[in-house]
Amino acid sequence: MTRTETIPAGRRSWSVNWPEYAPTDITPPELRPSALAHHVPDWAEAAPTPADVQDWPQRQAAALVAFQLDARGWPLHPQGRTGRTGRNLGKWGENAAADPIVVAGTGRGRRVLLITRDDIAVEAIPGGMVDPGETAPITLVRELREETHVDLSDHRPVILGRDVVDDWRASDCAWVASTSALYLLPVPVAAIAGDDAADANWWPFGSLNKLDAAITAAGRTLYAAHRPLLQRALDHLDQG
């Protein structure tokens, strides 16, 4: 289920008054305050609530997608209510990610490189979270290398956009925003599944429908949150 299916369209906006709104807390046990008091996972910040975050002005200034704080000083999802609260991501507010869309070939031979995510077993772009101190270009190269063993450090990609991603872990006060970039290769190169990937394959990329059909025929599913990013890549290629 995507975020937009959980909330009536007329009530998504934070400007709409909804006193009865009761989002579900999706915080996993390891990120609850009682657990964080004893151990903080290496992928997460220690703040048990947004009130414990001290640098909201800096986070807002650096955000890929602008967001506001509510009367309590808590971050608000840029696209409105999600039906979920709490945190199932590393940080409160925006969690920056980078998604390298690698395309090889032209015409009927055009292919896109996807991984099978080992957490939710769907076909997805081989991207991931921006580490502290990293820039998006560094993350694009690192994630691609870690998840597929494809090294494109000597390639300059086309930045397609910076967008909020409809990630399954998102909530009203923690979400993912990604820099998506297009890498173009003359032919497919060898790809081997690595970190966070159960498999890595090249798929037909003539259109989103053809990609869907090929993935479905293989008994697999395309990650819904990445469909808009892949469509943007196709639009860019078709305009070229």
Side-chain angles (χ1 to χ4, degrees), residues 2-129:
T2 63
R3 181 191 65 81
T4 54
E5 291 173 329
T6 65
I7 299 295
R11 290 187 167 179
R12 286 182 203 137
S13 173
W14 294 112
S15 64
V16 175
N17 188 37
W18 190 3
E20 302 83 12
Y21 178 56
T24 301
D25 192 339
I26 62 168
T27 306
E30 65 269 25
L31 293 183
R32 295 192 179 277
S34 58
L36 290 174
H38 295 92
H39 173 71
V40 179
D42 58 8
W43 52 270
E45 66 178 349
T49 75
D52 301 294
V53 174
Q54 302 300 313
D55 63 344
W56 283 122
Q58 291 87 345
R59 294 191 189 196
Q60 287 179 291
L64 296 176
V65 179
F67 68 92
Q68 303 299 318
L69 305 178
D70 66 13
R72 301 171 296 173
W74 288 33
L76 294 173
H77 193 295
Q79 295 179 343
R81 296 181 175 97
T82 66
R84 302 181 292 273
T85 189
R87 172 169 64 116
N88 193 15
L89 289 161
K91 296 170 58 178
W92 294 103
E94 181 181 279
N95 290 257
D99 287 302
I101 302 171
V102 185
V103 176
T106 58
R108 294 184 178 182
R110 193 164 67 189
R111 298 288 185 271
V112 64
L113 178 59
L114 300 178
I115 63 163
T116 305
R117 286 178 52 155
D118 65 3
D119 56 351
I120 52 177
V122 295
E123 303 307 296
I125 299 165
M129 296 298 177

Side-chain angles (χ1 to χ4, degrees), residues 162-209:
R162 297 170 177 86
D163 309 276
V164 173
V165 178
D166 195 4
D167 192 277
W168 63 279
R169 298 162 292 184
S171 72
D172 289 351
C173 39
W175 58 90
V176 177
S178 177
T179 298
S180 56
L182 176 64
Y183 289 86
L184 295 175
L185 302 178
V187 295
V189 296
I192 304 170
D195 291 353
D196 303 324
D199 201 1
N201 290 288
W202 292 93
W203 297 91
F205 200 47
S207 69
L208 206 55
N209 285 339

